[in-house]
Amino acid sequence: FGNLPVFGATTFPEPNWDRGMAMEVVKATDTQPTLADWLRLARAGDNAALLESITDIQSAGQLPAPAVDYLVFSFTVGLSDLDAKSVDSQVLVALSQYEPQTLVAHDDNARVGIPLFNVRAAAAGVQHAWERQQGGRQALRLDRGNHALWIKRYQDASPAARRGFMDSLETTSEDQAQALGWAAVEALAQNPGLTMAAATAGIRADDSELVWQAIRSGDAGDLPAVLRAVSTHFDASTCSELLNRSFELESNAKKALVIAQLGPAAISEPAAQDALFEALGSRELGAGAALVLSRSSDAMVMQRLDDIAEKNQGLARQRATLAINLRSQAAGSVQ
């Protein structure tokens, strides 16, 4: 499999195959019998025979290079359909170090060769999928009311496994999710990495107060993903309520994120509109509020923008004019 990464050298490798020709070679080569045999060995747990067969087919020279790369790539992708850790870790390590034989021209630089079939990326994807799957299973085993242990295992998990923990909340009862979410909120001050767990539990429990506490006390780095989920789960009224409450926050960065993510979902609500118009005069928040207001199709919103642009002074007038211009540009691009 080789030990050195393709791009480990100080200069990039050159292409050694034409992309179209390589694909024709792949189409003309029957790799299915070997692929089926490798997947059979994987399911049977015969890792030694599997590694030997993969190594042999690369060194034997019986198949053209593009077909070998395609075969190894197809097998690697196929592993994602199997249960986590179906094969020995040595197999995945070998695949993650695979040296591609077929390099084609990079789209942006014809003198730079890139793998036609990126086995290493596929191996990383399998590893991620398996860690996520295992995280979800572990979370389900812990979903018996021991919230402290669930939180500890979540914090100890890899990023991929944490996604599995989040997946498990989809099948957790609303009551369990709510209790877990509040336990996570209580720990947020010392453990900001629990922001996603607390917010996701709140969404699962349909508890907007729990979600608000996750937004208020959580890590700003997790808020974009949290707010995207909130905007698709809750109705306009709840999004408007959260938007208005966000102006209580000390962090302007958090306020700006809430405006950008929840503003479009809440814009039909008069209370949200009032809050956004109030923000037009803010140096830190006015541009974001203008962008959201520019996307409204409400005639009353446009009239208020016109009035501010005509009669007001300072930043509010500038931001109202910005919103009007953005609205005009969007309308022009549609025509």
Side-chain angles (χ1 to χ4, degrees):
F1 287 92
N3 295 316
L4 294 176
V6 173
F7 298 109
T10 55
T11 58
F12 292 119
E14 296 182 355
N16 57 12
W17 275 86
D18 173 78
R19 186 185 298 268
M21 184 179 295
M23 292 304 300
E24 288 299 322
V25 169
V26 169
K27 292 177 183 178
T29 307
D30 185 9
T31 57
Q32 287 304 307
T34 304
L35 176 60
D37 186 54
W38 287 359
L39 289 173
R40 177 187 61 78
L41 291 172
R43 292 189 182 95
D46 195 345
N47 298 292
L50 176 59
L51 276 171
E52 182 180 359
S53 181
I54 295 175
T55 303
D56 286 348
I57 207 161
Q58 186 183 12
S59 60
Q62 297 176 348
L63 294 178
V68 173
D69 286 355
Y70 173 73
L71 177 58
V72 178
F73 177 81
S74 299
F75 169 71
T76 306
V77 172
L79 289 177
S80 62
D81 294 329
L82 305 181
D83 284 339
K85 305 303 180 184
S86 297
V87 299
D88 189 83
S89 60
Q90 289 183 335
V91 175
L92 208 58
V93 168
L95 293 171
S96 69
Q97 296 175 346
Y98 180 79
E99 288 285 0
Q101 303 178 39
T102 309
L103 302 177
V104 297
H106 192 284
D107 289 340
D108 297 327
N109 190 336
R111 291 180 294 180
V112 173
I114 59 172
L116 179 59
F117 299 104
N118 196 333
V119 175
R120 296 182 179 191
V126 171
Q127 181 68 37
H128 183 280
W130 280 355
E131 288 184 14
R132 183 171 181 172
Q133 183 185 117
Q134 287 183 306
R137 289 177 176 175
Q138 182 181 32
L140 288 174
R141 290 195 299 270
L142 295 171
D143 189 15
R144 300 292 183 272
N146 191 342
H147 304 130
L149 183 58
W150 193 103
I151 289 171
K152 181 180 185 306
R153 294 290 170 80
Y154 173 83
Q155 291 177 293
D156 293 340
S158 68
R162 287 187 176 190
R163 294 289 300 275
F165 273 72
M166 295 299 94
D167 294 341
S168 74
L169 289 175
E170 296 179 5
T171 57
T172 300
S173 71
E174 291 188 9
D175 288 345
Q176 278 285 81
Q178 188 174 48
L180 174 63
W182 281 109
V185 163
E186 291 177 5
L188 267 179
Q190 290 75 37
N191 303 284
L194 291 171
T195 302
M196 185 63 68
T200 302
I203 291 171
R204 172 70 183 104
D206 204 32
D207 186 339
S208 61
E209 180 60 28
L210 174 51
V211 170
W212 165 247
Q213 293 302 327
I215 294 171
R216 185 180 68 84
S217 303
D219 183 13
D222 288 329
L223 283 192
V226 167
L227 294 169
R228 282 195 297 272
V230 169
S231 67
T232 58
H233 175 79
F234 289 107
D235 60 17
S237 176
T238 302
C239 289
S240 175
E241 177 188 350
L242 293 171
L243 173 66
N244 275 273
R245 294 183 74 175
S246 74
F247 288 96
E248 305 169 8
L249 297 171
E250 294 183 3
S251 168
N252 283 322
K254 281 190 177 183
K255 293 177 187 178
L257 284 171
V258 176
I259 288 173
Q261 296 287 345
L262 296 191
I267 191 62
S268 62
E269 294 293 309
Q273 294 171 10
D274 290 343
L276 292 169
F277 275 107
E278 183 68 24
L280 285 178
S282 166
R283 187 173 300 277
E284 296 82 7
L285 308 176
L291 179 59
V292 174
L293 288 168
S294 74
R295 296 172 178 172
S296 173
S297 58
D298 189 329
M300 293 297 295
V301 168
M302 300 313 298
Q303 183 60 56
R304 288 179 70 177
L305 287 171
D306 287 338
D307 290 343
I308 294 173
E310 181 180 348
K311 301 174 183 177
N312 283 43
Q313 299 294 326
L315 284 176
R317 179 179 183 178
Q318 294 175 25
R319 299 303 172 43
T321 302
L322 172 63
I324 294 168
N325 291 338
L326 289 171
R327 175 73 176 173
S328 299
Q329 291 172 13
S333 65
V334 173
Q335 294 176 358

